[in-house]
Amino acid sequence: MENTVFPGIRASDIAVRLDGVCKQYKQRQGRDDTPRSWRNLFSRQYKTITALDNLDLTIHRGETVAYAGPNGAGKSTTIKLIAGLLTPDSGTVTSLGMNPFSDRVRYVRNIAVVFGQRTELWWDHPVSSSFRWKKSIWKIDDEIYSRQIGILRERFNLAPIWNSLARDLSLGQRMRADLALALLPDPQLLLLDEPTLGLDVEARMAMLRYIRDLNANTGLTILITSHNTSDLEELGQRVVLVAQGTKRFDGSFRQLRAQVGDVRDMCVVTDSSRHPQVPDTIAYDRSEGRAHYYHFMADEHNIMDIIDMIGRQCRILDISIERTSIDNILTQLYRRYNSA
Ligand SMILES: Nc1ncnc2c1ncn2[C@@H]1O[C@H](COP(=O)(O)OP(=O)(O)OP(=O)(O)O)[C@@H](O)[C@H]1O
């Protein structure tokens, strides 16, 4: 009989599991006041940074998990641990039934890691050379290679850039080729660290579409980090929030929004640059000319009453009320975590 991990979940359903993972770094400290001091050479000072503090994380096969958190929260460290590039100081990391570090040779054939700021492509060579190079280094069988190239060229629209030098590609094209190259060995797990970093809106939307289709069509397990949280909301069925190396939230985006309530953003354009007065429970944000911005909790106010109150002070030329962005929700939550 198969091992059960939690009621209703079999061990084989789990792609990645981190149990009580701690990771610290030693950061060398410099001295500004005595830059050339001999003392710097002989008495180096180090500061210990806790990047991950007792982190538990379970990712099921076929899931796309969005991994979010403020700067320095420990996201990249988590990705590096799952990729087998680092080992934990304590706790365990198990991925695809293996220890990513000690089973590295066997393990790396089953995962793809894409870092937004780095490329695996040969810079001065055509894109196709990088694929052939990977085939030979990874000793990929001819038949599997042809099948994979066929699928990847079509899925990522590689034909127009196949013979272009990597250094001549736009950032969006480069990311597309890098993602395809990472998927050449047909991995079971994809780790994406900031895959949309620096992309313009069009390239970003295209990249999100590729990732979404990939999960829908292949059932690949995906863990993705991004500073652009609206990207994560587009992709992740599930979001995990980390802050100061600790998991703060694990659930759906709907549940995440419910953490701060149903916040609405309102913009009222009036005939005056003076912002209209509203009840204290409505937060005035800013004015840009005659456009005035507010936030309020939908369940605490009657929208018609607010409009009525503003209309008695000035002429309303335009008004828009929408659900607040996921970025605003996260900003509020990060503030809460920092002050806790
Ligand atoms: N190689 C390293 N040496 C020393 N300290 C490190 C190293 N890598 C990360 N850190 C520190 O560990 C903490 C977590 O870093 P990490 O890069 O995992 O966070 P992150 O959530 O990915 O941050 P960001 O969103 O800014 O990329 C930070 O305080 C960082 O300064």
Side-chain angles (χ1 to χ4, degrees):
M1 212 179 86
E2 187 149 22
N3 264 347
T4 49
V5 182
F6 300 114
I9 296 177
R10 289 167 306 171
S12 61
D13 292 337
I14 291 179
V16 178
R17 183 151 174 192
L18 276 70
D19 274 313
V21 167
C22 296
K23 181 73 193 171
Q24 291 189 328
Y25 295 105
K26 279 207 158 49
Q27 283 185 357
R28 224 175 99 184
Q29 305 292 294
R31 294 184 199 190
D32 280 353
D33 51 338
T34 52
R36 289 192 200 144
S37 163
W38 283 91
R39 275 196 307 170
N40 270 340
L41 285 175
F42 298 115
S43 64
R44 287 191 175 140
Q45 304 261 322
Y46 290 91
K47 188 169 142 195
T48 302
I49 302 285
T50 300
L52 293 178
D53 187 8
N54 205 16
L55 182 78
D56 295 330
L57 176 68
T58 302
I59 302 172
H60 302 111
R61 287 186 189 265
E63 258 191 316
T64 296
V65 175
Y67 198 49
N71 285 123
K75 302 181 295 295
S76 297
T77 302
T78 311
I79 298 266
K80 286 175 191 162
L81 285 164
I82 300 172
L85 300 169
L86 293 174
T87 48
D89 297 334
S90 59
T92 55
V93 180
T94 312
S95 183
L96 307 176
M98 290 175 258
N99 177 321
F101 200 77
S102 54
D103 297 326
R104 199 163 155 66
V105 177
R106 190 161 57 102
Y107 177 65
V108 288
R109 298 193 78 88
N110 292 286
I111 64 159
V113 191
V114 178
F115 290 98
Q117 310 95 314
R118 292 185 217 154
T119 183
E120 209 193 336
L121 297 166
W122 278 23
W123 206 232
D124 291 316
H125 293 260
V127 169
S128 53
S129 302
S130 296
F131 283 77
R132 277 196 300 276
W133 162 79
K134 190 153 185 168
K135 175 191 184 303
S136 103
I137 297 283
W138 287 57
K139 298 188 174 59
I140 299 173
D141 180 82
D142 286 346
E143 202 180 312
I144 296 174
Y145 179 75
S146 310
R147 192 191 65 217
Q148 278 296 92
I149 286 291
I151 294 171
L152 295 170
R153 272 176 62 112
E154 192 185 323
R155 181 166 286 149
F156 294 99
N157 188 24
L158 296 181
I161 56 170
W162 195 239
N163 296 316
S164 307
L165 302 187
R167 66 173 144 84
D168 291 338
L169 301 180
S170 71
L171 187 55
Q173 292 170 328
R174 207 264 291 150
M175 279 307 299
R176 211 162 85 205
D178 254 311
L179 182 54
L181 185 59
L183 296 171
L184 183 64
D186 199 12
Q188 300 175 50
L189 172 68
L190 173 62
L191 305 172
L192 291 167
D193 198 8
E194 296 285 349
T196 56
L197 197 74
L199 299 186
D200 65 25
V201 177
E202 200 182 333
R204 226 181 72 226
M205 297 319 284
M207 182 52 86
L208 294 178
R209 206 172 48 244
Y210 287 127
I211 298 169
R212 211 172 23 237
D213 290 352
L214 202 58
N215 177 254
N217 297 329
T218 66
L220 187 67
T221 308
I222 302 175
L223 178 66
I224 177 169
T225 75
S226 171
H227 277 108
N228 191 326
T229 34
S230 50
D231 283 0
L232 293 180
E233 194 172 25
E234 292 252 332
L235 287 177
Q237 302 129 15
R238 177 178 154 209
V239 54
V240 175
L241 269 194
V242 277
Q244 290 141 350
T246 314
K247 188 165 73 176
R248 306 299 182 118
F249 176 86
D250 188 345
S252 67
F253 275 92
R254 194 176 48 76
Q255 290 166 330
L256 182 70
R257 283 181 172 279
Q259 296 272 303
V260 292
D262 187 2
V263 182
R264 303 289 168 102
D265 297 339
M266 175 171 71
C267 172
V268 193
V269 182
T270 68
D271 56 357
S272 163
S273 56
R274 272 188 54 180
H275 73 270
Q277 294 304 305
V278 288
D280 287 348
T281 46
I282 294 182
Y284 166 68
D285 185 343
R286 66 191 192 281
S287 292
E288 288 169 12
R290 290 183 293 173
H292 313 287
Y293 294 85
Y294 302 84
H295 308 288
F296 64 91
M297 304 295 290
D299 43 7
E300 287 174 14
H301 294 91
N302 180 322
I303 290 169
M304 291 318 291
D305 289 347
I306 301 172
I307 297 174
D308 199 40
M309 183 172 179
I310 295 173
R312 274 186 264 119
Q313 301 170 56
C314 53
R315 202 152 76 85
I316 297 176
L317 303 177
D318 194 7
I319 190 160
S320 71
I321 298 171
E322 49 191 48
R323 207 168 64 139
T324 202
S325 69
I326 194 75
D327 291 297
N328 280 341
I329 301 268
L330 288 180
T331 308
Q332 287 201 35
L333 286 174
Y334 294 162
R335 258 189 228 134
R336 210 183 272 178
Y337 301 150
N338 276 336
S339 61

